[in-house]
Amino acid sequence: MRLAVLKERRSNETRVAATPETVKKLIGLGLQVVVEAGAGLSASIPDADFAAAGAEVAAGPAEALQDAGIVFAVQAPEPAERSQIARGALLVCVSGALADSGLVPSLAEAGIDAAAMELLPRITRAQSMDVLSSQANLAGYRAVIEGAHAFDRGFAMMMTAAGTVPPARVFVVGAGVAGLQAIATARRLGAIVSATDVRPAAKEEIKSLGATFVGVEDAETATQTGAYAKEMTADFKQKQAALMTATVAKNDLVICTALVQGGRAPTLVTKAMVEGMRPGSVVVDLASDGGGNCEATEPGSAITTENGVKILGYRNWPGRIPVAASTLYAKNLLTFLTTFWDKEAKVPKLPPEDEIVKGVMLTRGGAIVHKNFASAA
Ligand code: NAD
């Protein structure tokens, strides 16, 4: 069976869904791997490295997709490439289906069996395939590095003969995978770090990393026991906003990471809060793909407000650290395929009743099979 690795065409996408290391392992499963020319360039992987690992390098998407039974991609291929995927082929990518209502019906119509890796259930068995975690971790790291670069004062406390440089104060909003890595990275750079979250489980995690927990704790947060935060009530939002106003004003950097899966990111840092920050302060908004946690964020851009606050609202933060992000993403996809691989027949074997399969498969055999999209049929 042939497995195609496509070059990403969406703007700002710098990652690639395979590396020479995973290509070797895929070949070891009995696959023939075809990589589209230039697929790895923005992640510093030349075609020659894929070829040296045993992949065939195809000139374009049509050649790469010809007779491919499996397609690996980072984001869902655009319609032009999608139309060249053979009926019955397995497509594994981060589909973005929750934000694109036409995608799932069109995949079903094209007869593509699509696995949406962002819908992977957050269970222990799935951890090594968890693309959201692997990418969010790197995004959290990168946010602090870019925030530190934009901050013109200094992170660690430095006592010199010429005077003392105070440590930066960093406030992390949302302590999930990205937020916890942001806390750890900011601490390693010497900042004084605090963080907030609505899930009670996050409080201990924040403290265990040496940061201070700042947050509203009430009957409503006590119900946030799942892996994902639920939308909060207006009453809670009001209490949270009062605390946020005071906290944001005291900090030099605010790193926003609070997402609600599939929905618009909650606005947690208002324009008025930004106005209360000192000139030279920095807001890094990792939630900009979901519209941003900061009201002043312009998704896709870095701006400076009238009061001199820099707001880094870039999209696709994992794509800003493409070599590491591709390495981990490619490994996640390899683990997924290896887990659901028929060693005898050398083809994918995706038992429909398996919890992971049920979680990720959007379409199969021309039908919509995912419960969240059944009404789209
Ligand atoms: P996420 O990207 O959906 O959200 C980021 C963080 O923002 C979360 O901690 C969330 O609680 C917080 N948040 C959302 N709305 C908020 C609000 N209004 N105010 C303040 N904070 C808010 O989450 P994530 O990082 O993908 O994962 C969250 C949690 O899932 C992890 O911390 C972990 O406990 C769990 N998880 C489990 C597994 C597994 O078991 N396989 C894998 C990954 C993550």
Side-chain angles (χ1 to χ4, degrees):
M1 183 176 260
R2 281 164 77 84
L3 180 149
V5 179
L6 290 179
K7 179 177 157 67
E8 300 296 316
R9 289 180 162 72
R10 301 199 184 242
S11 61
N12 291 335
E13 191 48 84
T14 52
R15 296 168 290 171
V16 59
T19 60
E21 189 202 336
T22 65
V23 163
K24 281 187 205 154
K25 300 251 168 63
L26 292 165
I27 293 170
L29 292 177
L31 286 158
Q32 281 173 276
V33 180
V34 194
V35 178
E36 188 184 342
L41 280 185
S42 50
S44 305
I45 309 173
D47 292 342
D49 287 12
F50 279 120
E56 191 184 305
V57 177
E63 292 88 333
L65 290 167
Q66 193 164 16
D67 300 325
I70 305 172
V71 180
F72 273 10
V74 178
Q75 298 194 42
E78 304 229 47
E81 286 74 48
R82 230 154 58 209
S83 65
Q84 300 179 59
I85 299 177
R87 286 192 84 79
L90 170 69
L91 168 67
V92 187
C93 63
V94 172
S95 76
L98 287 167
D100 177 358
S101 59
L103 181 70
V104 182
S106 80
L107 288 166
E109 207 180 300
I112 299 169
D113 291 1
M117 294 303 283
E118 75 274 25
L119 301 178
L120 198 82
R122 297 199 121 170
I123 54 174
T124 310
R125 190 164 67 90
Q127 255 168 10
S128 51
M129 320 167 195
D130 189 342
V131 299
L132 289 186
S133 290
S134 74
Q135 305 302 292
N137 178 52
L138 291 169
Y141 167 81
R142 186 73 188 187
V144 175
I145 301 301
E146 296 208 27
H149 179 71
F151 185 56
D152 294 331
R153 289 187 207 147
F155 247 55
M157 180 158 97
M158 289 173 266
M159 292 165 89
T160 78
T164 298
V165 175
R169 288 187 172 271
V170 176
F171 178 47
V172 178
V173 181
V177 178
L180 292 175
Q181 182 57 256
I183 294 170
T185 305
R187 290 264 303 149
R188 265 182 243 132
L189 289 179
I192 296 173
V193 186
S194 58
T196 190
D197 203 293
V198 288
R199 292 178 303 110
K203 182 177 173 182
E204 287 315 309
E205 289 170 332
I206 290 167
K207 292 205 299 198
S208 73
L209 289 171
T212 311
F213 172 78
V214 182
V216 177
E217 291 174 271
D218 65 5
E220 193 177 338
T221 56
T223 66
Q224 294 275 13
T225 51
Y228 292 116
K230 294 188 280 270
E231 175 80 41
M232 307 305 285
T233 62
D235 179 46
F236 178 88
K237 284 180 187 163
Q238 215 174 355
K239 284 192 266 180
Q240 189 185 35
L243 186 63
M244 289 286 293
T245 301
T247 311
V248 166
K250 276 189 240 157
N251 279 275
D252 300 308
L253 280 95
V254 176
I255 311 230
C256 303
T257 76
L259 291 166
V260 172
Q261 227 215 7
R264 201 205 172 283
T267 300
L268 301 172
V269 179
T270 61
K271 281 189 177 157
M273 291 179 200
V274 174
E275 278 161 19
M277 293 179 84
R278 282 177 300 164
S281 302
V282 180
V283 176
V284 185
D285 203 337
L286 287 193
S288 52
D289 285 324
N293 288 141
C294 175
E295 199 182 8
T297 293
E298 286 181 18
S301 308
I303 58 160
T304 304
T305 63
E306 271 175 29
N307 64 320
V309 176
K310 294 178 189 170
I311 302 182
L312 310 186
Y314 305 124
R315 293 181 192 275
N316 191 1
W317 281 88
R320 300 182 71 79
I321 177 166
V323 177
S326 300
T327 304
L328 301 189
Y329 182 83
K331 201 70 195 300
N332 290 144
L333 262 51
L334 169 70
T335 307
F336 174 72
L337 194 61
T338 311
T339 305
F340 297 107
W341 188 248
D342 184 332
K343 289 199 187 98
E344 303 299 318
K346 297 189 175 16
V347 292
K349 186 179 175 186
L350 294 147
E353 67 288 353
D354 184 280
E355 199 178 350
I356 295 175
V357 175
K358 253 197 271 184
V360 297
M361 291 308 293
L362 298 171
T363 51
R364 284 187 97 158
I368 297 174
V369 294
H370 199 286
K371 63 174 172 30
N372 296 3
F373 300 94
S375 59

